[in-house]
Amino acid sequence: MFALLSYFRPDTATAAGTLLAPVRWRPLEILFWLVAASLLWLAPSKVLLLNEIAILALFVLSLDLILGYAGIVSLGHGAFLGVGAYAAGLLGKHGFTDPVMGLLIAGAAAGLLGFVTSFLVLRGTDLTKLMVTLGVALILRELANKFGNITGGADGLTGVVMGPVLGLFEFDIFGKTAYGYSLTVLFILFYVARRLVNSPYGLMLRAIKGNSLRTGAMGVPTNHRLVTIYTIAAVYAGIAGALLAQTSQFVSLDVLDFHRSADALLILVLGGSGQLWGAVIGSIAFKIMYDYLAAITPQYWQFWLGLVLVLIVLFGKGGILGFVNSSREWLAHRLGKGAAK
Amino acid sequence: MLTILFDGFAYGMILFVLACGLSVTLGLMNFINLAHGAFAMAGGYLTVVLMNRFGVSFFLCIPAGFLVSAALGVVLERTLYVRLYARSHLDQVLFSIGLVFMAVSAIDYFMGAQQQLITLPPSLQGRVSLFGIQVGIYRLFVIAICLVLAVALQLILSRTRFGSQLRAAVDDARVARGLGINVSLIFTVTFAFGSGLAGLGGVLGAEILGMDPTFPLKFMIYFLVVISVGGATTLTGPLLASILLGIADVAGKYYVPTVGSFIIYTIMVVVLILRPQGLFGRANAR
Amino acid sequence: MTPVLETQTLCKAFGGLIATNDVSFKLPAGARHALIGPNGAGKTTFVNLLTGVLQPTSGRVLLKGEDITGLPSYQRVKRGLARTFQINQLFADLTPLQHIVLAISQREGAATGWWRPVGSRSDIVDEAEALLRQLNLVDVRDQRTETIAYGKQRLLEIAVALAAKPAVLLLDEPAAGVPETERHQILDVIEALPADVTLLLIEHDMQLVFRFAKTISVLVNGGLFVEGPAAEIARDPRVKKVYLGEELVDV
Ligand SMILES: Nc1ncnc2c1ncn2[C@@H]1O[C@H](COP(=O)(O)OP(=O)(O)OP(=O)(O)O)[C@@H](O)[C@H]1O
Ligand SMILES: [Mg+2]
């Protein structure tokens, strides 16, 4: 009992205690995953939407790894989503129907692209980065469009066939298997990312983002670290793309659209960057907002999206999570004062 | 062949007028305004509305496009953009993408998603023979206006007091401030002027580039290519880059239509890779 | 005896401005050396050339006899060359404890670990705590660095460099901007370093310079002006002239 208490309330008096505090799972986090899993049975009519949210969250999570933690700006993160999606789709179309194998191969393909392009991206100013990432994504889109005989071009890639997950769970038309599958992948990768960002390597990324002159003077080969995380994030995004292709058994050219990359950025700033959960919460908020606004003004919901973006940049520091954190601090401050009186 | 060269030249000149405002604001405040195309769209749609609904002459639309976009530029600069100069490039990008999204949907809402057509005045229609080449009168007209503009801009920059202040501010805003130059006023004026030029480019380009709500997104990449290839410190760089891009694009679409915009994107990436610092190097030397 | 750190005809030009002019400089092992010179003399530029932040226009840098001119910063640190910055270069969002733990982890080759959490290696945490204690930073251990007092940030700047356990430490005005009363505390820390660590101190406060240095070099307009034992430099009328801002009559 005492051990359990100390797990949830880490001893912040010792140095190791304060360092380890963020590592511990808070009850709310555990609750979140339990609820997310139980929705499989509690809200069977919503699983298609939930599946989309899970995939989106994974994609935004991958952007958070490079942007939120390592400070690498990108306008073309969708490139990796697209490569993953096409890789998984093409595998499925040509008889390699095992979903998990497909996922791994698609992740590897996107990771390879990430590794190669990282050398182009990790040079120059933010502006150069933005433009190179954008350029790479646009080139890929053109390629996918031009090689229509392979990718299906503007008509999209059809005829993707998927076997049962792990040989056990057939994909059903209601999307139950799809959601279970995507949520499991999201959970595993979230867990890995959580370990990663709380490790010395993850803290070093934040240090590099803060001041790469200093990390260099500390003896850190800054660029190697950035290449690694860029590659890892590409793998994550590729897996998200693969999930998209496998669960919808279709790949449209739209996976490589500019708006995918822009949406991911928006969702991340909406949720709050550099905290992993921001990606998840942002994705949920975004999809709900989309459903709601698109229902009122189906065609023009981009207007509201743009407005939200402008408002967040102008006024909202840290997105939803930032707001929650600062209100919590404010409340604690008020309560603390009240107790002192 | 020569006709294609000529058309490409006209196309490039329009791109220059569209993009040069962006290049100056980028050089001056190190501010990346992805919504620049929205100002061009304002000019383009203004023309469409004035001509098709109110029967205003095309020749009147040209100054009107400039003035309205410039006014829009002043208002937005003073109320919104000014808050973002000190922010990160990421914030600037997010903010201006937000503006683009809003502009795209707003135009879509009011004008519909289809491409807008205008009918040029008869005096600008048809073709003439120039040194043995058949050229469109309108394209000739466009080139003439743009050349006059380019020369005028160059003169303003090199000969006037405002021009020298602007160049000082682009060189080093801090030093310029120290010399008593009102940098924020210069920026407002430049921003307005750049937006106005974009609007003007929108008027001229409505027929050649085509106007639909996704215009700012479609041409964003062209502007970025122009300033990445041409640099953000002079006018000659963007001018040459625009002309090259215009010719490459027109010729590319004519001769190798299957390759599409592939070439353009590749050029941009290659240039950025070859000189990642050289482009806006000065801005981050500090 | 070969010097631990040496430059040969080192030059650096920024456009037309020559910031480092033909500097040939030797730092023997265990030195307590000060580098002084008026503002803009090129002291920081010199340190940037030594540490690889800048590449020289011509000339060479040698560390323990090895040519390191083309090596990136991080490779030089690995070979035992560390520095502090004149203007704080810290991680605004991180705590002092995190700074030190990272620096030690890097030294120990533990900074690429990506599974076990930061703080799980007790030897590193213990060493970090000891260093924080040594530099009087225990009270701000867990505060975000951008919120702590400037004097403490200066100490942290030094602590991060010390965590690398360098053989050669270059200190670029460690007391810059620190009030009189706290300056000697910073020098106390520096003087307490083991005798085998080679130290180069850049400083404008002559009181600190003469308290610390056994030997001094004077840099003027990018070039080495005079070098010698501290007592000689103190007496040298030419050095006084330079500091009083007078024109150089003859050299
Ligand atoms: N990156 C740079 N680009 C252009 N000029 C530079 C650069 N860095 C330094 N300089 C110039 O080089 C000269 C030497 O500067 P440096 O900072 O090395 O002087 P310093 O001796 O450290 O001065 P201080 O005592 O003020 O710290 C100065 O004239 C400075 O303006
Ligand atoms: Mg200095």
Side-chain angles (χ1 to χ4, degrees):
Chain A
M1 185 61 215
F2 183 73
L4 196 69
L5 257 179
S6 76
Y7 182 84
F8 289 118
R9 292 186 186 282
D11 178 8
T12 47
T14 71
T18 55
L19 288 172
L20 290 169
V23 180
R24 297 169 199 256
W25 285 82
R26 277 153 292 173
L28 214 55
E29 291 182 273
I30 298 167
L31 185 68
F32 172 87
W33 290 108
L34 291 178
V35 170
S38 64
L39 287 178
L40 200 52
W41 294 277
L42 296 181
S45 63
K46 292 278 184 215
V47 285
L48 278 175
L49 176 70
L50 291 169
N51 180 48
E52 281 175 31
I53 293 179
I55 294 171
L56 186 63
L58 182 58
F59 178 49
V60 179
L61 185 73
S62 76
L63 183 66
D64 198 20
L65 286 179
I66 58 165
L67 180 64
Y69 286 90
I72 305 169
V73 293
S74 169
L75 269 184
H77 202 55
F80 306 119
L81 183 83
V83 167
Y86 275 109
L90 286 170
L91 283 172
K93 186 181 170 122
H94 295 104
F96 302 91
T97 56
D98 182 56
V100 177
M101 269 316 278
L103 215 58
L104 295 177
I105 294 172
L112 187 66
L113 180 75
F115 178 73
V116 172
T117 54
S118 70
F119 297 96
L120 314 180
V121 170
L122 299 176
R123 306 148 55 104
T125 58
D126 276 2
L127 201 54
T128 322
K129 289 194 181 86
L130 289 168
M131 289 164 63
V132 172
T133 48
L134 176 64
V136 168
L138 287 168
I139 288 174
L140 275 180
R141 190 182 185 283
E142 282 301 312
L143 284 178
N145 194 14
K146 289 291 125 55
F147 290 94
N149 49 344
I150 303 173
T151 61
D155 298 334
L157 184 73
T158 48
V160 179
V161 180
M162 274 297 121
V165 180
L166 300 173
L168 295 173
F169 308 98
E170 284 282 355
F171 284 102
D172 55 297
I173 48 163
F174 310 105
K176 237 180 143 166
T177 305
Y179 176 54
Y181 176 49
S182 297
L183 186 67
T184 309
V185 173
L186 173 66
F187 174 74
I188 293 170
L189 290 181
F190 184 91
Y191 179 76
V192 172
R194 205 175 175 285
R195 297 287 311 213
L196 187 111
V197 300
N198 286 313
S199 71
Y201 172 73
L203 187 61
M204 190 65 87
L205 290 177
R206 285 172 56 199
I208 291 171
K209 178 186 178 191
N211 191 333
S212 59
L213 182 62
R214 166 53 82 186
T215 50
M218 256 164 46
V220 182
T222 303
N223 265 342
H224 298 194
R225 302 286 174 274
L226 295 179
V227 166
T228 325
I229 194 63
Y230 199 74
T231 308
I232 294 173
V235 171
Y236 268 57
I239 291 179
L243 285 177
L244 199 61
Q246 293 179 341
T247 57
S248 63
Q249 312 205 344
F250 174 73
V251 184
S252 90
L253 195 54
D254 150 278
V255 289
L256 283 165
D257 260 0
F258 171 69
H259 84 83
R260 293 270 183 181
S261 307
D263 284 355
L265 267 178
L266 170 117
I267 294 168
L268 191 56
V269 295
L270 178 69
S273 74
Q275 2 196 10
L276 296 188
W277 278 107
V280 179
I281 290 171
S283 302
I284 297 170
F286 179 85
K287 276 286 180 192
I288 291 175
M289 200 169 80
Y290 176 86
D291 263 20
Y292 179 70
L293 290 176
I296 313 174
T297 51
Q299 232 174 321
Y300 314 112
W301 95 283
Q302 265 208 344
F303 180 86
W304 304 107
L305 196 67
L307 187 65
V308 168
L309 201 46
V310 166
L311 291 179
I312 288 179
V313 173
L314 284 179
F315 305 110
K317 281 208 184 109
I320 298 176
L321 270 190
F323 178 74
V324 169
N325 283 339
S326 52
S327 6
R328 247 205 351 225
E329 264 160 40
W330 180 82
L331 215 77
H333 187 73
R334 289 293 296 259
L335 290 178
K337 263 194 184 155
K341 266 177 204 166
Chain B
M1 165 66 203
L2 283 173
T3 314
I4 289 171
L5 213 63
F6 185 80
D7 283 1
F9 189 68
Y11 188 84
M13 290 306 288
I14 295 184
L15 279 183
F16 169 71
V17 172
L18 283 171
C20 68
L22 182 61
S23 131
V24 177
T25 48
L26 183 67
L28 185 61
M29 289 306 240
N30 198 13
F31 185 90
I32 176 79
N33 178 20
L34 293 184
H36 191 70
F39 293 98
M41 185 163 71
Y45 271 93
L46 185 79
T47 312
V48 170
V49 171
L50 286 182
M51 286 180 71
N52 294 355
R53 300 231 175 123
F54 301 100
V56 177
S57 144
F58 180 73
F59 297 102
L60 269 180
C61 289
I62 297 175
F66 178 87
L67 290 176
V68 169
S69 298
L72 200 63
V74 172
V75 172
L76 285 179
E77 201 269 343
R78 282 289 94 195
T79 53
L80 294 177
Y81 280 94
V82 71
R83 299 158 189 264
L84 287 148
Y85 293 150
R87 304 280 282 274
S88 67
H89 274 144
L90 181 67
D91 279 352
Q92 299 172 354
V93 161
L94 290 169
F95 172 80
S96 49
I97 289 183
L99 284 188
V100 170
F101 281 175
M102 288 167 75
V104 167
S105 308
I107 290 289
D108 192 352
Y109 179 74
F110 288 111
M111 306 290 299
Q114 75 282 14
Q115 180 152 352
Q116 301 288 338
L117 301 172
I118 55 167
T119 315
L120 292 170
S123 53
L124 292 178
Q125 290 175 0
R127 296 182 159 257
V128 290
S129 171
L130 194 73
F131 309 118
I133 325 165
Q134 284 290 312
V135 295
I137 295 178
Y138 180 61
R139 288 193 166 50
L140 204 59
F141 174 75
V142 164
I143 291 177
I145 291 193
C146 292
L147 274 180
V148 168
L149 274 175
V151 171
L153 284 178
Q154 187 59 41
L155 286 180
I156 292 176
L157 273 185
S158 58
R159 296 289 163 79
T160 65
R161 191 175 143 71
F162 179 80
S164 57
Q165 289 189 341
L166 175 62
R167 275 181 292 131
V170 172
D171 249 13
D172 193 329
R174 270 188 313 181
V175 172
R177 257 187 216 107
L179 291 172
I181 295 174
N182 187 345
V183 174
S184 73
L185 177 69
I186 288 192
F187 193 59
T188 306
V189 173
T190 315
F191 193 93
F193 202 73
S195 310
L197 284 177
L200 186 87
V203 179
L204 294 178
E207 206 262 353
I208 297 180
L209 309 177
M211 269 300 146
D212 67 69
T214 60
F215 181 88
L217 277 176
K218 247 190 334 209
F219 281 88
M220 180 176 85
I221 192 75
Y222 283 79
F223 303 153
L224 292 177
V225 176
V226 168
I227 53 176
S228 61
V229 175
T233 47
T234 60
L235 277 183
T236 3
L239 178 65
L240 292 177
S242 307
I243 294 172
L244 278 177
L245 178 63
I247 293 175
D249 202 36
V250 171
K253 276 184 186 137
Y254 186 81
Y255 289 113
V256 271
T258 47
V259 182
S261 323
F262 184 74
I263 302 177
I264 311 273
Y265 304 148
T266 315
I267 292 176
M268 178 176 93
V269 170
V270 168
V271 167
L272 284 166
I273 289 161
L274 292 182
R275 30 184 298 218
Q277 306 285 352
L279 314 173
F280 319 106
R282 238 172 356 85
N284 61 318
R286 288 191 281 274
Chain C
M1 200 184 82
T2 57
V4 268
L5 188 62
E6 183 180 356
T7 68
Q8 296 172 348
T9 63
L10 201 63
C11 293
K12 176 71 190 179
F14 293 113
L17 178 86
I18 297 172
T20 305
N21 188 5
D22 196 25
V23 174
S24 296
F25 172 83
K26 289 190 167 92
L27 198 61
R32 293 290 179 271
H33 192 86
L35 179 65
I36 63 173
N39 287 110
K43 304 179 295 293
T44 300
T45 304
F46 184 60
V47 170
N48 284 341
L49 292 171
L50 291 175
T51 53
V53 172
L54 292 172
Q55 274 297 309
T57 314
S58 65
R60 304 203 301 159
V61 182
L62 300 128
L63 182 66
K64 297 172 192 162
E66 183 196 0
D67 189 340
I68 57 165
T69 317
L71 290 185
S73 289
Y74 73 91
Q75 291 279 8
R76 302 181 194 213
V77 181
K78 237 184 229 167
R79 287 164 172 73
L81 179 65
R83 71 175 292 182
T84 67
F85 292 87
Q86 182 175 353
I87 299 165
N88 285 337
Q89 302 291 344
L90 299 167
F91 313 123
D93 292 339
L94 270 48
T95 65
L97 177 64
Q98 287 174 321
H99 276 80
I100 307 300
V101 165
L102 276 182
I104 297 174
S105 302
Q106 179 61 35
R107 186 194 76 212
E108 293 288 305
T112 46
W114 61 275
W115 190 253
R116 303 198 53 199
V118 180
S120 55
R121 269 193 52 181
S122 56
D123 53 332
I124 291 179
V125 177
D126 291 346
E127 188 187 333
E129 281 202 278
L131 190 56
L132 289 173
R133 216 171 299 127
Q134 186 193 337
L135 287 173
N136 247 324
L137 288 164
V138 176
D139 53 332
V140 293
R141 188 188 72 188
D142 300 317
Q143 292 173 24
R144 279 162 52 91
T145 297
E146 65 181 356
T147 67
I148 67 179
Y150 180 77
K152 294 270 177 186
Q153 291 190 14
R154 281 317 271 166
L155 286 169
L156 179 58
E157 178 78 32
I158 298 170
V160 175
L162 291 182
K165 287 209 175 138
V168 183
L169 178 58
L170 315 174
L171 297 142
D172 193 354
E173 301 195 27
V178 176
E180 289 274 351
T181 46
E182 291 173 36
R183 283 190 185 179
H184 281 275
Q185 190 199 350
I186 287 179
L187 202 62
D188 291 343
V189 169
I190 295 168
E191 288 189 323
L193 292 174
D196 59 342
V197 178
T198 309
L199 294 177
L200 175 74
L201 173 76
I202 295 174
E203 185 51 65
H204 282 296
D205 182 337
M206 287 304 139
Q207 223 193 330
L208 294 189
V209 169
F210 289 115
R211 182 184 144 189
F212 162 84
K214 301 210 168 57
T215 49
I216 296 178
S217 300
V218 184
L219 201 67
V220 178
N221 291 333
L224 276 183
F225 184 57
V226 278
E227 281 186 291
E232 264 175 43
I233 300 290
R235 273 185 265 112
D236 196 320
R238 293 175 301 172
V239 175
K240 276 204 185 108
K241 266 192 188 162
V242 169
Y243 265 87
L244 291 174
E246 293 180 13
E247 283 298 307
L248 298 176
V249 188
D250 59 336
V251 180

